Structure formats: C-alpha cells, structure tokens
C-alpha cells in the first residue's frame, strides 16, 4: 500500500531524506519544485558519487498559467501543434528566466550548499522540465 504524505499527520521530508540516505541514486517526477527547498536534501544527494547511474534525476512538470487556462476556455488558445519556432523559443526563454528568478530568491546571503548549480557540474543532479497536460 503506498504512503500518502499530507505534511500534517505524515510529513514528507523525513521519509524522503531516509530514502535518499539509503540510496545511491534517485528519480523524481514532481508537478512543482521550488529551488529553495533543495537545501533540505542537498547534503544527502551530495553523498552520492554522481554520474549517470548515481545521481538525482528530477523531472519537473510545469503548471499551466491561469492566463493560459482562461485563453483556452475562451477559445483563444492555439490548437496543440500550432506553435511556431519563434513561440517555442520564447517559451523556453521564459522558462529559463523563471528558474533564474526562483534561484535568485532561494539563495539569500549567497549560500552555496543548497544550490543545484553547485551539484550539477559534478553530475549529481539533472533537471528536466515539461508541461503537465490538462
């Protein structure tokens, strides 16, 4: 039977840390990820050797913006597949900018131990993003 973590009666962080500390790799798929939360598990992931088979792979599904949902509801959104190359590039730049802003907000005082950028060069963290359908 799977465990449901509600962070009220059943907190996620202790179970997540226990799992990470017992492992030498981890694959996670989340709907949302705030880089400031990385510091809660960064030290445990740092213990992994790094590289393709010993890293933290994080797939982040992006929530749809309220404006996008409204445009779709009003019939103003382009049909799936009707996106041109310029729009795709602009969306990728916006995604990168959103991550930069999140990283800047999550690093008060210039802490380095909780920054995925510190981990990525050693091969301990790989981040991919996608869009959550619906």
């Amino acid at each position: 039977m799977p465990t449901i973590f509600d962070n009220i009666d059943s907190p996620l962080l202790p179970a997540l840390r226990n799992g990470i500390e017992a492992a030498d790799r981890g694959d996670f798929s989340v709907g949302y990820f705030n880089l400031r939360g990385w510091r809660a598990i960064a030290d445990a992931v740092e213990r992994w050797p790094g590289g393709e088979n010993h890293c933290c792979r994080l797939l982040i599904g992006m929530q749809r913006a309220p404006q996008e949902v409204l445009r779709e509801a009003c019939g103003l959104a382009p049909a799936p597949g009707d996106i041109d190359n310029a729009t795709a590039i602009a969306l990728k730049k916006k995604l990168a900018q959103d991550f930069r802003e999140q990283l800047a907000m999550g690093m008060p005082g210039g802490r380095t131990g909780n920054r995925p950028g510190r981990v990525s060069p050693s091969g301990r963290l790989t981040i991919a993003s996608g869009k959550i359908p619906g």
Side-chain angles (χ1 to χ4, degrees):
M1 181 83 170
T3 302
I4 297 175
F5 297 98
D6 61 7
N7 283 328
I8 298 169
D9 296 322
S10 184
L12 174 62
L13 184 58
L16 181 60
R17 285 194 59 85
N18 287 340
I20 290 172
E21 289 168 0
D24 65 357
R25 69 174 287 167
D27 295 329
F28 302 93
S29 178
V30 297
Y32 176 78
F33 178 70
N34 190 307
L35 293 171
R36 289 180 292 170
W38 178 251
R39 68 176 152 246
I41 62 169
D43 63 316
V45 173
E46 278 289 322
R47 294 185 192 113
W48 294 348
E52 187 174 335
N53 294 315
H54 301 284
C55 66
C56 176
R57 296 189 311 170
L58 181 61
L59 174 63
I60 306 170
M62 304 306 289
Q63 292 178 326
R64 293 175 27 180
Q67 303 91 322
E68 183 181 343
V69 174
L70 181 60
R71 277 195 299 271
E72 186 176 290
C74 294
L76 302 173
D82 285 354
I83 188 169
D84 60 33
N85 196 34
T87 303
I89 290 170
L91 290 171
K92 287 179 184 179
K93 286 181 180 179
K94 171 82 171 103
L95 176 64
Q97 180 62 34
D98 288 348
F99 273 123
R100 273 193 292 278
E101 289 172 7
Q102 199 181 120
L103 182 59
M105 287 187 302
M107 299 301 118
R111 291 185 205 132
T112 58
N114 56 358
R115 188 175 71 227
R118 176 175 168 261
V119 178
S120 292
S122 67
R124 291 186 182 94
L125 175 65
T126 301
I127 298 175
S129 63
K131 186 163 211 143
I132 298 173

